[in-house]
Amino acid sequence: MGLSRELVGLPMKYISTRGDATRRGFSEILLEGLAPDGGLYLPEAYPRIDAPTLARWREVQATQGYAALAFEILSLYIDDIPAEDLRALCARTYTAEVYGSDAIVPLKPLEPGLCLESLSNGPTLAFKDMAMQLLGHLFEYELGRRGETLNILGATSGDTGSAAEYAMRGKRGVRVFMLSPHGRMSPFQQAQMFSLQDENIHNLAVEGVFDDAQDIVKAVSNDLAFKRQYRIGTVNSINWARLLAQVVYYFAGYFLATKSNDEQVSFTVPSGNFGNVCAGHVARMMGLPVKHLVVATNENNVLEEFFRTGSYRVRGSAETFETSSPSMDISKASNFERFVYDLLGRDGARTKALFADALSREGVFTLSAEEFAQIGAYGFQSGRSTHADRLATIKATYEGQGVLIDTHTADGVKVARELREPGVPMIVLETALPAKFEATIAEALGPDVHAPRPAALADLESRPKRFQVMPADTARIQQYIRDHVPL
Ligand SMILES: *Cc1c(COP(=O)(O)O)cnc(C)c1O
């Protein structure tokens, strides 16, 4: 019996943030999206890490590496996959071959007390690979064990879709049908997705905008008979396994940035749907010595406003801006309910009243003064960055430290420089590589500076493309799926 079970003492079960009392195992929620009551899944309790365990994990990371650390952490949350299988899944996921170095998430110093944690060295050059690659292996494993197959249907404006495709390509039992707005992704993003030749990956370029693609996905998901018959699933950011995978790099970053477990660090996280920083919250709840979790937003400052005022106000499409850090352009933060549930003392009825009732009625909720006063105890701070800030930060970081950063990371660095404190190392999560955002890099630094691209992607745009142009018509998409899924 491993240390993990002794720490938890009980089987690990998952519950909904909206009060549904059913307790489910990890394997039951792995392939699911929302809980049946519309809430998000969370563990019944966070395992608390004692000092000897934290010391051992530091040793594991130093001597056995990231995959071994990932196994230690995941095994506290997953007790329905045999330990040796889980260890093998982690080892297969976090390799130097996929992430470019044995360190997997190396730190890059910017200046004393401020560094970047590189999370973007996976196949699609953004941090979503850290979790999605694990999800691909977990899905293949679980589907194989059940003798089932799954057809993942999604809509993307670029990043999530490519991370999902690179994670699921060639995986047994999984097909991906990814809708994207025809002709509206960057040449790099198009090339990245459409150059995949794997038979289980279907790129459907929809004649319309992203919202049209998204609406089709919703319509198909609401067709329950079709959904069941064709075993339709998703890989969106509310999936608990994705969040769990992200918890690991908070521990790894902490061990790399400190010499002993007596020290504290803070993290700044470029945020959109609150998935990344929510994993930091989970790490902190487990006992990782994190002083502050700084939520950095762009002009779409739903979250920054909440942490400043206690009001959560979702935005309409007219109020949602297209910015130069596009992966943070959100109108509402789909993982945010998880944190609020903890903040409210895990009161499912109150969480439901805020998210299901107030939000759908008025598009806004405001915490009571007592509730808002609790936020300090969770370590959160927030800040906001604009297009001009991004350009200035990219330029200052390139000229001052010789480090080229992407636009999302620039939002983080801008806010981190404002909120860092003496004596507490600040780690900014690098969420994408600048090679993905050449136009803004040129705007910040002039046409002569080029973001380096990993050698393996040098000829990306000239590779043959495999995609199907489709009308923005739900029935036609459903027919395409029927034609490509054997029953
Ligand atoms: C998805 C994404 C984000 C936002 O992450 P959340 O988990 O949605 O908060 C930030 N930067 C990049 C590059 C991303 O792809």
Side-chain angles (χ1 to χ4, degrees):
M1 176 143 137
L3 185 60
S4 53
R5 294 285 75 72
E6 286 158 32
L7 269 178
V8 182
L10 293 164
M12 176 51 82
K13 294 289 181 191
Y14 293 85
I15 53 172
S16 164
T17 52
R18 294 197 183 168
D20 172 354
T22 313
R23 301 161 73 244
R24 295 177 171 83
F26 177 84
S27 300
E28 289 174 82
I29 66 164
L30 171 63
L31 302 170
E32 281 183 42
L34 294 174
D37 65 352
L40 305 184
Y41 288 115
L42 272 181
E44 208 167 24
Y46 300 112
R48 282 291 296 186
I49 304 310
D50 56 12
T53 305
L54 198 61
R56 192 170 62 78
W57 285 3
R58 179 182 285 274
E59 199 51 33
V60 166
Q61 144 111 0
T63 57
Q64 301 170 48
Y66 190 90
L69 178 67
F71 166 73
E72 294 290 334
I73 295 171
L74 295 175
S75 65
L76 298 183
Y77 290 93
I78 304 175
D79 58 10
D80 47 12
I81 293 178
E84 59 273 28
D85 291 356
L86 186 60
R87 192 185 281 281
L89 289 169
C90 292
R92 232 179 294 150
T93 302
Y94 299 109
T95 65
E97 199 195 346
V98 174
Y99 293 94
S101 74
D102 283 320
I104 309 293
V105 293
L107 298 188
K108 284 189 228 170
L110 283 186
E111 58 205 45
L114 182 67
C115 66
L116 299 178
E117 183 174 356
S118 313
L119 304 179
S120 308
N121 295 321
T124 74
L125 316 187
F127 89 98
K128 292 192 176 64
D129 290 329
M130 292 301 300
M132 206 71 95
Q133 289 285 317
L134 180 73
L135 204 65
H137 288 289
L138 283 170
F139 273 25
E140 181 176 56
Y141 176 87
E142 183 61 24
L143 289 166
R145 188 157 79 154
R146 295 186 192 182
E148 290 176 10
T149 60
L150 186 71
N151 297 299
I152 292 166
L153 175 66
T156 187
S157 52
D159 278 348
T160 311
S162 56
E165 291 189 354
Y166 279 77
M168 301 298 165
R169 63 185 298 198
K171 295 285 188 295
R172 284 182 305 272
V174 187
R175 278 185 207 86
V176 177
F177 297 89
M178 192 56 68
L179 278 47
S180 59
H182 183 42
R184 285 172 193 267
M185 291 190 294
S186 74
F188 181 91
Q189 287 174 321
Q190 282 186 37
Q192 207 174 25
M193 287 179 51
F194 296 175
S195 64
L196 289 179
Q197 302 297 325
D198 306 76
E199 278 199 12
N200 69 329
I201 304 295
H202 298 264
N203 282 305
L204 305 180
V206 172
E207 291 170 320
V209 296
F210 170 70
D211 286 334
D212 298 320
Q214 178 100 309
D215 287 344
I216 293 173
V217 171
K218 282 190 196 143
V220 175
S221 303
N222 288 335
D223 183 344
L224 294 182
F226 183 87
K227 194 177 165 195
R228 197 170 323 112
Q229 188 175 16
Y230 288 94
R231 304 177 301 281
I232 302 292
T234 60
V235 287
N236 47 28
S237 84
I238 57 166
N239 182 290
W240 166 254
R242 276 182 67 179
L243 203 138
L244 176 58
Q246 294 171 178
V247 172
V248 178
Y249 54 67
Y250 284 87
F251 281 88
Y254 172 78
F255 294 138
L256 291 170
T258 56
K259 291 203 171 57
S260 94
N261 293 342
D262 301 329
E263 297 172 50
Q264 279 195 314
V265 302
S266 293
F267 287 92
T268 299
V269 187
S271 293
N273 276 317
F274 205 77
N276 198 352
V277 75
C278 195
H281 162 68
V282 172
R284 193 173 179 276
M285 296 298 280
M286 292 171 72
L288 187 68
V290 175
K291 181 146 191 221
H292 287 124
L293 289 166
V294 181
V295 178
T297 75
N298 65 18
E299 290 89 333
N300 296 294
N301 67 328
V302 187
L303 291 167
E304 181 270 336
E305 183 179 71
F306 170 82
F307 285 104
R308 191 163 34 83
T309 65
S311 283
Y312 180 66
R313 187 171 59 86
V314 304
R315 310 290 157 87
S317 44
E319 259 191 304
T320 306
F321 308 109
E322 272 184 43
T323 76
S324 48
S325 45
S327 300
M328 294 157 63
D329 293 348
I330 51 109
S331 52
K332 62 178 177 12
S334 53
N335 275 288
F336 185 53
E337 183 170 333
R338 287 193 162 107
F339 165 66
V340 173
Y341 177 67
D342 284 341
L343 178 71
L344 298 174
R346 301 204 136 204
D347 180 339
R350 174 73 176 142
T351 308
K352 182 166 181 288
L354 296 182
F355 280 88
D357 308 339
L359 267 195
S360 57
R361 222 173 31 236
E362 289 141 35
V364 59
F365 69 71
T366 302
L367 297 181
S368 72
E370 298 81 61
E371 288 165 348
F372 188 51
Q374 299 301 314
I375 283 186
Y378 290 86
F380 277 93
Q381 294 182 328
S382 68
R384 166 174 189 269
S385 164
T386 64
H387 181 67
D389 293 327
R390 280 189 279 288
L391 297 181
T393 305
I394 290 169
K395 193 166 175 358
T397 307
Y398 184 67
E399 290 173 355
Q401 284 85 34
V403 177
L404 192 55
I405 54 175
D406 96 289
T407 52
H408 307 76
T409 307
D411 288 329
V413 170
K414 185 263 182 185
V415 173
R417 286 205 167 109
E418 288 168 352
L419 291 177
R420 59 194 286 208
E421 302 155 281
V424 184
M426 175 66 89
I427 303 172
V428 179
L429 299 187
E430 181 186 56
T431 56
L433 291 190
K436 291 188 90 166
F437 302 96
E438 281 164 348
T440 312
I441 300 299
E443 194 181 340
L445 298 174
D448 297 334
V449 179
H450 291 284
R453 224 192 242 193
L457 298 179
D459 66 336
L460 188 66
E461 282 91 339
S462 59
R463 293 181 194 167
K465 295 192 175 60
R466 183 168 168 272
F467 67 103
Q468 187 75 36
V469 179
M470 301 283 292
D473 176 358
T474 303
R476 292 284 298 275
I477 300 291
Q478 285 179 307
Q479 191 53 49
Y480 183 93
I481 294 172
R482 277 189 204 102
D483 292 343
H484 291 87
V485 175
L487 284 182

